[in-house]
Amino acid sequence: MEALVQASQDALSLLFSGDKELWEIVGISFQVSLLALIIAIPPALLLAFALAYGQFVGRRFLIALFSTMLSVPTVVIGLTLYVLLSRQGPLGEWRLLFTQTAMMLGQITLAFPMLVSIGHSALQAADRRAWETARTLGASRLRALLTVTYEVRFGLLAAVLASFGRIISEVGASMMLGGNILHHTRNIPTAIALETSKGEFAQGIALGLVLLVMALALNVLLHHFQGKGYVGS
Amino acid sequence: MKLKTLFSALCLVSLSFVQSSAFALEKPKNSVIKMSTTTSTENSGLLKFLLPKFEEKTGYSVQVIAVGSGKALKMGEDGDVDVVLSHAPAAEKEFVEKGFGDKRYPVMYNDFVVLGPEADPAGIKELKSTAESFAKIAETKSPFISRGDDSGTHKKELKIWETAKIKPEGEWYREAGDGMEKVIQMSGELNAYTLADRGTWLAVMNKSPLKILHEGDKELFNPYGIMAVSQKRYPDINHDGAQALIDWMVSEEGQAAIASFKVNDMVLFTPNADKADASAKETPAKVQ
Amino acid sequence: MTKLQFQGISKYFQDRHLLQEISLPVWQGHCTLLTGANGAGKTTLLRILAGFERPDTFEVQTSLGLLNWRQYKKTLSSRVLYLHQQPYMFEGSVWANLDYALPRHLSKLERAERIEEALTWAVLEALANAKAKNLSGGEYQRVALARAWLRKPQILLLDEPTSNMDQEARLRTVHLLGQLRSEGMALVVASHDPDYFSSLVTDHLHLNQGQLLPVPLHAKRDNGNVTTLRQSL
């Protein structure tokens, strides 16, 4: 217990003394995960939309596929991409292994099914009349899509937040694809893994705190937007 | 309308980022060296101490991927890194023989120590040979934690069991599949024996209840070697950078730096580069 | 457009031949009343005309010649407006909902003018800034009609426009529909209680067993209720 208190105190002083290395790691984490999310959102939204509103062969299969992909361990996704991106792999020519781009690819792969899956549920729950009303009032397909997106924005925002939470705290794929290189591909989760293995609990806890505070802030923000947050609103 | 603009702006930003990092790929051929190495060199703080000196002098920047020796060599075999620094002499020899690397340069050594609970339930403190100590541990079925991760340390441990003519198995023998620090931690928690490299041990000894119960046997000698990944196999590898790093590591300056690296006021690594080897090759190349 | 002649519209639901080779003329300035039992296919027919549901066979004779379903959807469905039984209101104010129906290219000033006119037309001035989703059923319908008035489609399709409304709201709706008709729109109204629309209706068709049959006007009108309705308007 004493050790934990001590480590937490050290963690706080590390955070507030503006430890450069620590904040650099935080910066890399956010940069990679935010970009991964931004890249993943538009295609995921379109696909979720197609799944919710389109009628095509394989639609049900795709829905099942993306739900399944949610439970694939991140290490497996990391390993698959590692094999693809390794020099010996089919995409080895790109020389992407152990770069931030590789980490981003991993996180996009992780975020995508979640965005599609939760996004699809949100859009499915949307009133079909929203789409039809938009269309009958002369909206283009894109505009109607954006309108419906806006109508179910809270559900979609939840999808985005859940996905962000998944990728920013994910260690397996980032470790394999980024290689945990200092100043380059060391992000919060891989740094926590490393510091913990070295017995440097203060660093680990400090980084954990950053994640925790961020998760809290995001959720408070979401609830703020959602307003009342109880049934009957 | 606003949303549309936002969308396209975001797409542009993300695209330009992907491109910029794709362009960054062009650079490693010149100034970025990727090195896979064992956790002991990274986590002891040695590389953090050494590499800035090298980087400042030559303008290269070295990206370190710290894993077990087995995986570090595999990354070299696959051409995913430019240079490998590891401590698994037999595997390194094979690495060079198979043509994955040009030549193994000895850099330095430290040694392994056998750690265990202060009470020493197996009673190995007085024994002179490592194999004997291991045999005693097995005999008394005292808990022993193995790295179990195909690292240099793991390979060394298996070799000692072999010398002792014991096949370690049973409730008392546990494979962790984890890094050295973690295994020392676990051994401390579980009152178990383990084999550790001295560098890592010195770095974490203040946090561990374990003690060195056996050391100094010749068998525990732990040499580090560095190898550039073969350019014949992977033409676009940063071979010049790798060779520059090697040349610096085995140079007088690099060797002196290794000797001056201390943790808890103790020297961790003893430089042992064969000077003849280095000078036979060529003088350190610099980045223009 | 002075006349569209829909013909050969068929629709199957599983084994059921819901609509059998239906022909339906739509004249500018006419109001066609569509009656039929629950489940007779009134809504399906309207949704086919709106372009929301795909018929099994379909063609339409227009000034552009004979069009199939795909061509109809492409060229004409933008001139058709469908009102749901429960109109859908987008997130935002009544003003924003009306704005949605205006063509994109109008200037801010033009939009404001048109919206003001629409608010006056549908007696919604007081509600301009109210949240559209919070309106009552009658107000919903008026906003929906005001959107139609702004959009000025050639054909207005209405599915049970007066269900769940009190007497006053019904009278208002009929009154507004009369104005739209006199502006030259073709109205197609599906309704259970045809009597409310007797002042508007120029053609009456009855859907039964997949067949659409003309009903002579005034045939069923026998009570004084209609006259009082007329007088009140």
Side-chain angles (χ1 to χ4, degrees):
Chain A
M1 194 59 212
E2 209 173 290
L4 187 65
V5 172
Q6 181 62 42
S8 303
Q9 277 173 357
D10 293 351
L12 285 175
S13 63
L14 257 179
L15 277 180
F16 291 108
S17 66
D19 184 77
K20 201 168 145 260
E21 201 165 284
L22 190 87
W23 285 107
E24 184 188 49
I25 290 167
V26 173
I28 288 172
S29 248
F30 276 77
Q31 184 183 328
V32 170
S33 295
L34 280 175
L35 269 163
L37 199 62
I38 287 168
I39 295 170
I41 285 174
L45 185 63
L46 281 175
L47 185 55
F49 215 87
L51 291 177
Y53 283 83
Q55 288 164 346
F56 52 89
V57 185
R59 195 182 70 97
R60 278 163 188 281
F61 172 75
L62 276 179
I63 293 171
L65 180 75
F66 280 106
S67 311
T68 312
M69 274 180 77
L70 286 183
S71 38
V72 175
T74 61
V75 199
V76 173
I77 290 178
L79 182 60
T80 311
L81 279 170
Y82 184 101
V83 171
L84 287 175
L85 292 178
S86 166
R87 175 74 81 112
Q88 301 291 55
L91 307 179
E93 283 305 300
W94 297 0
R95 304 296 278 133
L96 285 180
L97 198 59
F98 307 134
T99 63
Q100 287 191 356
T101 311
M103 289 170 89
M104 231 183 289
L105 283 177
Q107 300 197 348
I108 289 171
T109 316
L110 284 170
F112 195 74
M114 193 168 233
L115 287 168
V116 171
S117 233
I118 307 184
H120 168 244
S121 309
L123 287 167
Q124 205 180 26
D127 199 320
R128 204 179 177 91
R129 291 175 304 155
W131 168 261
E132 290 175 352
T133 304
R135 289 290 282 156
T136 202
L137 288 174
S140 67
R141 275 166 195 279
L142 179 64
R143 181 157 186 246
L145 188 154
L146 292 177
T147 303
V148 176
T149 302
Y150 185 72
E151 296 286 307
V152 296
R153 60 195 177 283
F154 298 125
L156 292 175
L157 200 59
V160 169
L161 284 189
S163 309
F164 187 67
R166 182 172 200 210
I167 61 179
I168 200 155
S169 62
E170 180 285 324
V171 62
S174 295
M175 186 71 97
M176 297 189 94
L177 297 169
N180 196 18
I181 299 169
L182 187 62
H183 309 309
H184 190 55
T185 57
R186 182 164 300 168
N187 66 4
I188 298 179
T190 61
I192 292 179
L194 176 71
E195 300 303 335
T196 312
S197 78
K198 279 159 61 177
E200 298 284 351
F201 295 135
Q203 278 256 4
I205 291 177
L207 289 162
L209 280 177
V210 175
L211 273 185
L212 206 67
V213 167
M214 183 215 67
L216 190 69
L218 282 177
N219 278 298
V220 168
L221 210 67
L222 179 67
H223 278 279
H224 174 75
F225 276 128
Q226 269 176 330
K228 298 170 233 168
Y230 52 77
V231 179
S233 56
Chain B
M1 202 56 218
K2 260 187 237 158
L3 258 175
K4 237 199 250 174
T5 334
L6 187 67
F7 257 144
S8 35
L10 287 179
C11 291
L12 265 178
V13 168
S14 40
L15 204 73
S16 64
F17 185 86
V18 169
Q19 280 192 340
S20 72
S21 38
F23 283 134
L25 294 178
E26 299 294 315
K27 273 175 86 186
K29 281 180 197 157
N30 303 318
S31 72
V32 175
I33 306 166
K34 283 195 156 76
M35 173 165 81
S36 63
T37 182
T38 69
T39 42
S40 53
T41 52
E42 159 101 325
N43 294 2
S44 63
L46 173 72
L47 291 179
K48 233 190 218 171
F49 173 78
L50 285 184
L51 294 178
K53 299 181 200 295
F54 167 73
E55 288 170 345
E56 201 177 305
K57 183 163 173 170
T58 60
Y60 281 111
S61 111
V62 185
Q63 297 186 346
V64 177
I65 298 140
V67 287
S69 277
K71 189 152 179 233
L73 285 165
K74 177 83 171 71
M75 283 174 179
E77 283 177 22
D78 289 346
D80 288 324
V81 292
D82 306 312
V83 57
V84 185
L85 173 64
S86 60
H87 63 96
E92 286 160 13
K93 200 173 155 221
E94 198 185 319
F95 181 81
V96 173
E97 272 169 7
K98 283 192 178 162
F100 295 118
D102 300 338
K103 176 174 164 51
R104 175 185 183 276
Y105 294 79
V107 177
M108 61 195 182
Y109 68 87
N110 65 354
D111 62 343
F112 288 107
V113 292
V114 180
L115 304 173
E118 203 168 1
D120 189 16
I124 64 168
K125 223 182 269 178
E126 306 303 327
L127 299 175
K128 284 281 167 283
S129 120
T130 314
E132 255 179 80
S133 307
F134 271 41
K136 201 74 187 284
I137 292 171
E139 196 183 301
T140 56
K141 296 203 188 309
S142 310
F144 183 98
I145 297 185
S146 163
R147 286 281 291 276
D149 61 351
D150 199 32
S151 60
T153 311
H154 186 218
K155 284 179 176 145
K156 172 62 97 182
E157 177 214 314
L158 292 179
K159 215 171 147 229
I160 298 171
W161 289 116
E162 212 176 282
T163 315
K165 296 193 173 59
I166 286 169
K167 205 168 174 221
E169 52 193 5
E171 183 66 13
W172 59 276
Y173 183 80
R174 296 169 200 176
E175 292 195 45
D178 219 327
M180 195 70 256
E181 288 82 356
K182 193 90 199 174
V183 167
I184 293 176
Q185 260 178 50
M186 287 167 70
S187 305
E189 299 285 340
L190 299 172
N191 274 325
Y193 289 88
T194 192
L195 182 73
D197 66 278
R198 190 184 291 274
T200 310
W201 168 245
L202 288 178
V204 303
M205 62 183 289
N206 291 338
K207 291 186 215 111
S208 175
L210 298 178
K211 290 280 172 284
I212 295 180
L213 296 177
H214 176 84
E215 61 185 325
D217 188 356
K218 241 196 231 140
E219 178 130 33
L220 293 176
F221 179 68
N222 180 27
Y224 285 76
I226 190 165
M227 291 139 291
V229 174
S230 167
Q231 195 163 25
K232 279 182 212 119
R233 211 169 254 271
Y234 302 109
D236 65 336
I237 209 135
N238 188 0
H239 192 266
D240 292 345
Q243 194 58 48
L245 178 63
I246 292 172
D247 290 339
W248 184 82
M249 289 281 251
V250 302
S251 72
E252 249 171 68
E253 187 190 344
Q255 294 279 296
I258 292 171
S260 69
F261 175 66
K262 285 179 183 166
V263 171
N264 293 338
D265 273 334
M266 306 236 230
V267 174
L268 244 64
F269 297 95
T270 314
N272 73 334
D274 182 354
K275 302 290 182 325
D277 265 338
S279 52
K281 194 78 187 171
E282 61 198 0
T283 46
K286 281 189 188 178
V287 184
Q288 306 70 0
Chain C
M1 179 201 85
T2 50
K3 182 192 171 187
L4 285 182
Q5 177 69 44
F6 295 96
Q7 56 202 40
I9 300 177
S10 291
K11 176 80 184 174
Y12 291 85
F13 266 114
Q14 275 121 30
D15 294 339
R16 209 175 132 219
H17 203 167
L18 187 66
L19 303 174
Q20 302 173 11
E21 299 281 325
I22 278 178
S23 291
L24 173 70
V26 175
W27 280 281
Q28 198 166 24
H30 279 222
C31 174
T32 308
L33 178 67
L34 210 56
T35 52
N38 265 336
K42 300 191 298 284
T43 299
T44 305
L45 181 56
L46 288 186
R47 291 174 60 83
I48 287 172
L49 300 185
F52 293 154
E53 227 155 287
R54 174 186 291 275
D56 293 304
T57 63
F58 175 98
E59 55 188 25
V60 58
Q61 187 67 52
T62 70
S63 53
L64 300 167
L66 196 62
L67 303 183
N68 63 23
W69 165 245
R70 189 174 284 276
Q71 293 162 329
Y72 168 73
K73 254 188 94 166
K74 268 213 173 119
T75 55
L76 287 176
S77 68
S78 66
R79 295 184 225 164
V80 177
L81 198 149
Y82 175 85
L83 289 194
H84 293 86
Q85 184 168 356
Q86 290 277 326
Y88 186 85
M89 292 294 126
F90 296 118
E91 199 67 49
S93 63
V94 168
W95 179 283
N97 268 274
L98 295 181
D99 188 56
Y100 203 95
L102 286 171
R104 299 282 89 197
H105 59 78
L106 294 183
S107 74
K108 214 173 172 187
L109 197 69
E110 281 175 298
R111 313 180 83 84
E113 274 174 18
R114 304 261 330 256
I115 294 170
E116 292 289 357
E117 283 169 28
L119 288 167
T120 315
W121 180 78
V123 204
L124 286 165
E125 298 98 325
L127 297 170
N129 294 316
K131 218 176 154 228
K133 281 198 198 282
N134 294 345
L135 300 180
S136 72
E139 290 161 346
Y140 254 58
Q141 192 60 261
R142 265 146 63 205
V143 176
L145 289 172
R147 285 196 301 215
W149 186 79
L150 285 169
R151 174 116 180 101
K152 303 237 181 300
Q154 292 177 342
I155 305 176
L156 182 59
L157 307 166
L158 301 114
D159 193 1
E160 302 284 356
T162 56
S163 63
N164 307 320
M165 271 186 201
D166 59 24
Q167 183 74 357
E168 195 206 332
R170 276 185 181 142
L171 293 178
R172 274 204 212 208
T173 301
V174 171
H175 174 72
L176 292 175
L177 284 176
Q179 292 200 354
L180 290 174
R181 200 198 74 183
S182 57
E183 284 182 26
M185 265 179 224
L187 309 184
V188 181
V189 182
S191 181
H192 269 108
D193 34 26
D195 290 347
Y196 289 107
F197 301 98
S198 52
S199 61
L200 293 173
V201 170
T202 51
D203 312 85
H204 183 174
L205 298 163
H206 189 74
L207 190 58
N208 188 28
Q209 310 251 326
Q211 308 281 342
L212 198 56
L213 300 167
V215 179
L217 283 182
H218 312 294
K220 279 173 31 180
R221 224 177 280 163
D222 49 14
N223 52 24
N225 196 8
V226 175
T227 7
T228 41
L229 234 172
R230 268 196 186 141
Q231 281 160 355
S232 71
L233 287 167

